[in-house]
Amino acid sequence: MGSKAMIFDLDGVIVSTDEYHYLAWKEIADRENIYFDRKINEQLRGVSRMESLEILLRKAEKAYTDEEKLAMATDKNGIYRDLLNRLTPADILPGVNDLLAELKRRGIRTAIGSSSKNTPVILEKIGMKDAFDAVADGNDIKNSKPDPEVFLVAAKKLGELPENCVVVEDAYAGIEAAKRAGMKAVGVGFASTCPQADYTAENLAKADIGKMLSL
Ligand code: B16
Ligand code: MG
């Protein structure tokens, strides 16, 4: 029995906001004299804002109070939100629009499952506010990926059983979350070499829709 719903991660699958996350965290790290590079940034994929900060602070030489941490996360989000103003529909990643059109044609329902609290503004900026049947994001959950919560909320919003859902992710944490939710997992982009994924492709333009739906 094939899948009846497809749940898409946002950052790194629908749109490359990952570079903006990097630039914003880099500004915070430089300001605090904390070493931060693109390799460390890869560990922040799919992880919540506060957990991302904790990973960044592993290289810090001093301890920060909870108030200071909150201020840093708020500052990072301000920088990130400014960068998001640059987004347009041209930033939608290759293959996304064609895949969504084909899923609609086949009667397969779709949802977003993202850790980001900025999901509504991102969808608005890229003109995809109404492109999905449901949206589950960082505002709906207590635990971020690799916890399965966001995908279970997405399935619930769609009224679909987890075993009928296939998740598309660019983060190892997201692939783990999908598997823990009892769903099938497709790895693209950074997760296109993830051994835990049920199917992988370099990007959605190169993904086989028939294969993804028959997992
Ligand atoms: P925000 P996704 C995730 O989005 C990002 O990959 C991750 O880097 C970020 O820390 C997280 O959203 C929270 O984002 O600060 O906007 O709430 O990949 O789950 O779509
Ligand atoms: Mg992602």
Side-chain angles (χ1 to χ4, degrees):
M1 183 66 190
S3 301
K4 293 185 187 136
M6 203 172 265
I7 303 174
F8 295 86
D9 171 58
L10 183 63
D11 167 44
V13 171
I14 302 293
V15 61
S16 266
T17 35
D18 39 1
E19 180 65 13
Y20 295 162
H21 280 295
Y22 167 73
L23 292 172
W25 281 127
K26 179 73 178 151
E27 198 169 322
I28 299 295
D30 286 353
R31 196 174 77 188
E32 298 293 324
N33 273 316
I34 299 168
Y35 180 78
F36 185 71
D37 61 16
R38 287 177 193 276
K39 191 144 186 276
I40 300 172
N41 188 58
E42 295 302 353
Q43 297 170 38
L44 314 185
R45 281 181 192 275
V47 175
S48 74
R49 198 178 309 160
M50 289 312 284
E51 287 167 289
S52 296
L53 177 63
E54 292 297 342
I55 294 170
L56 181 148
L57 290 179
R58 285 181 196 154
K59 295 274 184 209
E61 277 164 17
K62 64 169 249 199
Y64 290 85
T65 66
D66 286 348
E67 289 73 25
E68 286 170 330
K69 288 181 188 174
L70 200 59
M72 288 163 86
T74 303
D75 287 354
K76 181 265 173 179
N77 196 48
I79 300 162
Y80 179 64
R81 292 281 292 225
D82 282 347
L83 292 167
L84 290 182
N85 278 324
R86 298 181 188 172
L87 283 178
T88 73
D91 292 299
I92 296 170
L93 286 169
V96 171
N97 283 324
D98 287 349
L99 175 60
L100 287 176
E102 180 59 18
L103 291 172
K104 194 163 229 167
R105 206 184 59 76
R106 295 186 187 208
I108 304 287
R109 305 213 306 136
T110 58
I112 286 287
S114 168
S115 301
S116 177
K117 293 186 172 165
N118 292 300
T119 294
V121 67
I122 295 169
L123 289 177
E124 173 91 51
K125 294 292 289 178
I126 60 175
M128 295 190 87
K129 205 163 55 78
D130 302 313
F132 300 89
D133 296 303
V135 174
D137 65 29
N139 302 294
D140 295 306
I141 54 167
K142 284 197 185 68
N143 310 294
S144 88
K145 302 162 188 175
D147 190 283
E149 190 178 359
V150 78
F151 295 137
L152 293 171
V153 171
K156 203 167 175 196
K157 287 190 180 195
L158 288 172
E160 204 56 77
L161 291 171
E163 61 257 42
N164 291 334
C165 297
V166 53
V167 167
V168 186
E169 259 291 348
D170 73 312
Y172 276 51
I175 298 287
E176 185 184 333
K179 300 309 294 178
R180 280 167 64 183
M183 300 175 182
K184 296 290 184 285
V186 171
V188 295
F190 189 74
S192 64
T193 49
C194 179
Q196 280 76 41
D198 298 294
Y199 173 76
T200 57
E202 200 181 313
N203 59 42
L204 282 175
K206 295 197 174 156
D208 183 321
I209 182 168
K211 280 188 186 149
M212 288 196 284
L213 292 177
S214 61
L215 289 171

